[in-house]
Amino acid sequence: MKKYRDDFPIFSKISSLIYLDSASTSQKPQCVIDSVSNFYTTYNSNIHRGLYKIAEMATLEVEKARIKISTFINASSPDEIIFTHGTTEGINIIMNGLKKFISEGSAILLTEMEHNSNLVPWQKIAKEKKAKLYYWAIDKNGQLCDEIKDEYNNIVFTSLLDIPLLSIVALCHVSNVLGTIVDIKKIASLLTEKYGDKNKPFIIVDAAQSAPHFSINVQDMGCDFLVFSGHKMMSPTGIGILFGKKKILKEIDPLIYGSQMIREVSKNLTTFTESPQKFESGTLPIEAIIGLSSAIDYLNRIGIKNVRMHEIELTEYAMIKMNKIEGLTIYGPLKSNDRSGAISFSLENIHPHDIAQILGDMNICIRAGHHCAQILHSVLGIQASARVSFYIYNDRDDVDLFISGIKKVKSIFKK
Amino acid sequence: MNNLYREEILEHYRSPQNFGFIENFSIKSKQTNPFCGDEIEIFINWKSTNKYKKKQISVGEISFNGYGCAISIASASILTEYSKGKAINELTKFSQKDMLRLLGVEVSEARKKCALLALGVLRDCLYAT
Ligand SMILES: Cc1ncc(COP(=O)(O)O)c(C=O)c1O
C-alpha cells in the first residue's frame, strides 16, 4: 500500500519515520487535515444555535457525520450515534447510565484482556453496588476459554450462561495487546437465546481496536452498546463514538448536565432533549467531528475490507520474520487471520523499554509497557511487553527495518 | 550513537554491583514503577559511632534486589556503589541531578523515572532512619 503512505504528510516531512504504533494512535492523511483547516478557514461557527449561513453549514456537516458513522457501523438510526471525547468517556457514560439496573449480588462479566478503560469503571460500580465482577479467562493462545473462572472465589462456571444474575457483559472486540478477535455475535446470540432479547444482560463492546480495521455491523453483532475513538482511525484526537440501542438510550440518564442537552429550564425544573443530544453536553469538538467524517470517507474510498486484508498480509509477513528471531516470543493467536495487526512480544529477558528506546533512537516507533492492560500482563506472567502495530501506511519495508532494529537490540545486549 | 546504552551502563546491567540481600539489615525499602513494572529494593546496614548524631551514621553494607530495564538496574548498581561508607547527611544532600550526573548519560524525560527509581528507594531508607 505504498500509494496510501503518500497521503500522509508526516512521512514526507520525516522521511526516516517508521511508525509502528497505530494501535496507540494513527497518523492523519492530508484530506483529514485539510477538512479541519477548511472548517476553520471557511465556516467556523458553533452548531445548533446560529441562524446564519456558516452556522447552518457547520450544523449540517456535523449531522452528515452522524449519518455517515451510523452507516459505517450499520446502526438502525443516526439517533443511536452519540459524539463523545473517546472510548473511555463512552464507557463511563454507559456505566453511569446502566448503574440503575445493577443490583446487589448481580454479576458483571469482563475478560482478562480488557484495557483499563473498560475495566476500572466496572470495578468501581461493582464495588459501589456490591455486585460480583468476573473475568473471563484466556487460554495460552490468547483466546477466550469456554469456562469462566473466578479464581478469587474459586468458582468455575462451565459456560457464561451459568453465571447467576448476569446483568452486564463488557468486552473488547479486539484486544489491544494480544490482537485477539472476540466473537461478539456468538456471545450475543447465546445470551439472547437463553434470556430473550428483553431480559438478556446488556452487552457492551469496546471497539477501540476494531473500528479502524474491521467492518462493523452492530445489528448483526447483537450488541447493546459499542464505543470507539476517532484518533485510532485517522481522525483528530478528542472525538469518540458511542453507539447505543435507541430503546435503552431513552431509558438511561446522561453523565454530564448542562448546555446543549437541555430543552427547557425554569427555576426548579429542567427538561432534557432526546438522545443523542441528551448525552452531548457542552460544545462538541466540531473540528474533530468534521475530521472524523473525512476519515470515514477516506476509509470508505479504500474499502474497509482492503484495510483488513492489508493488515492480515503484513501481520503474516511480520510474524514469520519475528518467529525466526531466536529468543523472541509473540503473545496471542498464532494465525494472522485470527488476530489484528497488533503484535506484542518479548525478547529474551531484555526489558521492553530498552527495546523501544533503542528502536526509538533509530526512529522506529514501537510501544513498550503494559499498554493499560495490567491484569492481562499479570495473567501472562510478565511485567510488560513490547508491541508493534500496523495500519494502511505501513509496508514490508517497515517490517524489514523493524527486524533489523531488533537484531541490533540483540547485539547490544548480547553476552 | 546510542550514548544511553554505552558499554559501562550495559556492564552494570549485566553484572550489577551489590546485587542481592543482606541478612541482618538495619533498614530496607522497596519501590515499583507501575509504568513499566520495574521494582527495586535496597537493604542497608548502618555503621555508627554515635547513633544520636546523623553525621556519624554511615552506610556499612548496602545491597539491592529487583528487576527492571538496563537504566534502572544500572542506576541502582551505580548508586549503591557510590553510597558505600557515606554518612547519612551526605547522602540526604545527593540530588536527582547528582544521580543523573553520576549515571553519565543523557536520559530522556520518559526514562528519568527509570534512572531515578533507586534514588527514591535510597531516600525512603534515609528518611525512615
Ligand atoms: C481496547 C482499548 N480500549 C480503550 C482505549 C482507550 O481509548 P481512548 O484513550 O481513546 O479513550 C484504547 C486505547 O488505547 C484501547 O486500545
Side-chain angles (χ1 to χ4, degrees), chain A residues 285-304:
Chain A
I286 304 168
E287 100 261 20
I289 295 173
I290 283 160
L292 174 59
S293 182
S294 160
I296 302 260
D297 287 339
Y298 183 67
L299 276 168
N300 284 336
R301 282 201 297 278
I302 297 170
I304 193 88

Side-chain angles (χ1 to χ4, degrees), chain A residues 86-88 115 117 176 206 208-209 229 231-232:
Chain A
T87 305
T88 308
H115 187 283
S117 294
N176 66 320
D206 173 354
Q209 292 295 334
S229 301
H231 69 93
K232 293 183 201 285

